[in-house]
Amino acid sequence: RDLKLAMLVDPHQSKGKRTGSRIFLPFLRFTDLKLYGELIIPVCFSVFKNLFEVSKVKPAALVNSDSLCLFCRYDYKEMLHNSTFCLVPRGRRLGSFRFLEALQAACVPVMLSNGWELPFSEIIDWNTAAVIGDERLLLQIPTTVRSIHQDKILSLRQQTQFLWEAYFSSVEKIVLTTLEIIQDRVLEHGSRSSLMWNSHPGGLFALPQYSGYLGDFPFYYATLGIKPYPKFTAVIHAVSPLVSQSQPILKLLVAVAKSQYCAQIIVLWNCDKPLPAKHRWPATSVPVIVIEGENKVMSSRFLPYESIVTDAVLSLDEDTVLSTTEVDFAFTVWQSFPERIVGYPARSHFWDSNKERWGYTSKWTNDYSMVLTGAAMFHRYYHFLYTHYLPSSLKNMVDQLANCEDILMNFLVSAVTKLPPIKITQKKQYKETMMGQSCFINVCFLLQSSRASRWADPDHFAQRQTCMNKFASWFGAMPLVHSQVRLDPVLFKDQVSILRKKYRDIERL
């Protein structure tokens, strides 16, 4: 019913043999199975087109002129991307390239190759992304696909996109997936679960070396119905010597320690000067741990230190200005988005069509794609992923420039989540050394001697432009996602009594 079957030869597979005035075609293939209505299944359209371009032969006995016009009228790729189901018949080798084409186009593969072992079937549940048919019962396929509910179709198409992006979109991912499967076979006691392989962000980002428990990864909190630990660890990156009791780092330390959600504070001492005496640090109600940075490089601020025992990490530069109220609000927001970066200073990227490269901007607009780690909250797993997943070439670049570590962390998190970070409140300036035109003696000293003031370096933005393009090249695409979402406290800036507002101090800043 409403079914046309055409049979043709693959010109790369067979050389036609003439028998009188007829063509003998030893290798025949079903093509153009078209379901009239909502479902369209294009199959091997390119093969049909190549047949007439290469051989210049028209097998009229097999394909009439109406069918030929039908094929020539449509663009194969456009038809593929506009289709819901795509037939994947048996290929001349172990598999079929049509299978990968269907995955890439979010077209649900309808497998017609009995006995074919689907790729990575050891770890991928293909029943959630494909329809497994029987090539001996081809005429039952239309009824089968029509009986699938629309919700199921949407789920199948979404899974095809996830699997394509996670494991098949590049040769590197295919090779890496193969190696990771072998590792799981060898180290079976520490292998990834089926849920890790078959749900976002996939097995390549859920490293079993970190943990074998799903609840330790921020991506699975919603699936498991659990919440992150209700405290955070603040990590303050210190690069300046402690010469005055009025330095920004000491004020920041006191403000963070007063937060009701703060479990501990880690001061990462990346300064060339010796560690200050213990009595130089202010007394706080939470433990303050001072750690000397490994090789005193920028990437050391994202090492997975054993001292970090909470899920949430509040990453801070030494000259960041945050009040206790701002810290509390940041953690409250992060608890609802534990897989993302949540923070205050936002930046954005753009495509420079003149230079044909990615650009970086710090202009104050409603649009952003990065939240800098100088005042941001994120899950501690990203420390582990930054250290063990990213190549040494990118981290060495960051360390040599003493720049771009915040951009690289944003690239990593966006590549994992496929989501933008979250900016909170309209806070524009977050560095004490940026505020005002006056320059006190101790602040001037910091500006001259500290790597924390590298924002004032004229090469700073040029370096960040270079970093953007280097990182995008390694990731294979631009993972950053633009957003215009900003989360403010309830009644923020509303003309109501301040006593009705929970985060009162934020509006006074």
Side-chain angles (χ1 to χ4, degrees), residues 12 15 18 86 95 102 108 188 195 213 221 229 241 313 326 347 363 401 407 451 457 462:
H12 301 291
K15 297 180 180 179
R18 289 188 177 273
C86 292
V108 180
E188 188 175 355
L195 178 61
Y213 173 53
Y221 286 163
Y229 186 75
V313 175
E326 288 177 303
R347 299 291 185 265
K363 289 184 178 179
L401 296 175
I407 297 179
R451 283 174 290 176
D457 187 341

Side-chain angles (χ1 to χ4, degrees), residues 5 79 90 177 190 255 320 364 370 395 402:
L5 294 179
M79 205 173 176
R90 180 181 298 279
T177 301
T320 298
W364 181 249
M370 291 173 279
K395 290 179 286 187

Side-chain angles (χ1 to χ4, degrees), residues 378-390:
F378 49 83
H379 198 279
R380 64 172 174 169
Y381 177 60
Y382 292 122
H383 277 225
F384 188 88
L385 208 57
Y386 183 99
T387 303
H388 296 286
Y389 177 79
L390 294 176

Side-chain angles (χ1 to χ4, degrees), residues 97-137:
F97 183 69
R98 306 297 163 220
F99 179 70
L100 292 182
E101 280 187 328
L103 287 183
Q104 184 180 19
C107 186
V108 180
V110 180
M111 307 306 302
L112 295 173
S113 182
N114 296 3
W116 180 35
E117 187 77 11
L118 291 174
F120 301 144
S121 59
E122 179 179 338
I123 51 105
I124 294 178
D125 181 6
W126 285 109
N127 290 317
T128 62
V131 176
I132 312 300
D134 191 328
E135 60 185 347
R136 297 167 299 181
L137 304 174

Side-chain angles (χ1 to χ4, degrees), residues 349-360 465-466 468-470 472-473 478:
H349 75 286
F350 64 94
W351 177 253
D352 189 333
S353 56
N354 293 326
K355 298 181 179 179
E356 295 188 345
R357 58 180 299 182
W358 294 105
Y360 171 90
Q465 302 269 7
T466 302
M468 293 280 292
N469 290 276
K470 182 72 173 180
S473 175
M478 172 53 70

Side-chain angles (χ1 to χ4, degrees), residues 233 235 313-317 320 322 330 334 341-345 371-378 410 422 424 430:
T233 297
V235 179
V313 175
L314 175 60
S315 177
L316 298 165
D317 287 341
T320 298
L322 285 181
W334 178 85
I341 298 178
V342 175
Y344 290 93
V371 167
L372 304 187
T373 55
M377 191 91 63
F378 49 83
N410 274 270
I422 294 179
I424 47 180
Y430 74 105

